[in-house]
Amino acid sequence: MKRPQRYAIIGGGINGLAVARQLLLDRPDIHVTVFEKEAAVARHQSSHNSGVVHAGLYYEPGGLKATLCRRGVALLKDYCQHNGLPYDECGKVVVALTPDELPRLEAIHRKAVANGVPDVEMIDAGRLREIEPNCVGLRALYSPRTAIVSYGQIAQCMAQEIEQRGGTIALNAAVRRIDERGEQVQVELQGGQVHPELFDAAIACSGLQSDRLARQSGDAATPRIVPFFGQYYVIDERYKSHVKGLIYPVPDPRFPFLGVHFTKRIDGQMTIGPNAFLSLGRENYTGTDPSLRDIAAALTYPGLWKFGARNVPAMLRELKTVLSEKVFVREAARYVPSLADVAVTPAVRGIRAQAMESDGRLVDDFVIRQSRRVTHIRNAPSPGATSSLAIGEHIVRNLIRP
């Protein structure tokens, strides 16, 4: 009797779990093992984020981000409904405060329409006030189908489903290297021991450590992950009704992140954030646990210095929001002036696994690279969580040979 095929998934975040789940859905006769270095799944980016289900407003039409984001929204909504998980279409406005932002807002609208974002429209200041009574702005892009979820809950649900379908989740199992050996793949754990099982294929979904695992496994040295942290604050509960859904700025083209904004959480609280600045550690979620290894890796990477040289004004702006809570709040309150002096409490700190080339360019689209039997997700920042089920579907159905 022919033995069943065996697949290794490296990383128990939402993308790794989505790949494992899709494998078991499409090929129920195979064996799947998920290797997760922590004591539980979804300990990193999957549980340190805003919870926004991005509709697909910003992404270049035809790219992987645009395609997988739109497919991911549909799959994610169905998954939440099928499993009784909260899914709130609270809506989002992207607000232009100044005339120079209007052409950029129109460009976002054109991308959103090209990407098939449902019910998206340009609105004037009067209509903006109807949707968000306390928000100011000249014009806005309104996306009523933008939603919020708990990606941590979704990941936990997927992990349970994987085990119910016969998959194995190996916890406290950090992987150092994936080694292709002819028609099979060997997994070497961090301590140097070789996992006794050989696999027919491996998919590396290791997020903040993706470049290191890829290099150790023989893939290209670049792009390299440069971690940017983003701090969120919860506003005083008495004022959370001042914002109904999500209020975003028009992105600054000089800086590749969206800027401080208001985000409703699935628990009903209202947050402000995130800023974006170099993290002193790839997993420094508290802000008080720097990693000398990660700091040295970032500061000795030529790409970071070239990136910084091109983005000095925006980085200084972000630094102000890091150093001063009041500046942080007032940056957001430009859109909701009634919250200029609202009290806030530090909430989740996320760390974005952003791939950067050696010339300082941030990699904009998802990067999924494949050799004969090993697939590496090298770049899957936002909307990576939104796209997770679609990423799993794409890898399993388009990249992995049965």
Side-chain angles (χ1 to χ4, degrees), residues 286-337:
T286 64
T288 59
D289 187 25
S291 164
L292 293 179
R293 178 194 182 194
D294 293 345
I295 294 169
L299 294 181
T300 57
Y301 186 48
L304 177 63
W305 295 99
K306 293 173 183 177
F307 169 82
R310 289 200 295 263
N311 292 281
V312 171
M315 291 183 70
L316 290 175
R317 181 195 69 201
E318 294 296 314
L319 180 60
K320 290 178 183 177
T321 69
V322 172
L323 298 176
S324 171
E325 191 175 285
K326 287 185 177 180
V327 171
F328 187 101
V329 172
R330 287 175 181 168
E331 183 74 17
R334 294 187 302 140
Y335 300 87
V336 184

Side-chain angles (χ1 to χ4, degrees), residues 49-50 230-234 261 263 271-274 328 345-349:
N49 58 67
S50 65
Q231 180 67 55
Y232 287 88
Y233 290 87
V234 175
H261 47 267
T263 305
T271 66
I272 298 175
F328 187 101
T345 305
V348 67
R349 174 187 282 235

Side-chain angles (χ1 to χ4, degrees), residues 359-391:
D359 62 2
R361 289 181 299 110
L362 297 190
V363 180
D364 184 54
D365 208 351
F366 295 153
V367 176
I368 303 173
R369 283 214 290 255
Q370 185 186 40
S371 61
R372 288 183 64 250
R373 295 192 174 273
V374 177
T375 302
H376 289 279
I377 298 180
R378 292 294 300 261
N379 190 51
S382 181
T386 299
S387 308
S388 56
L389 291 171
I391 288 172

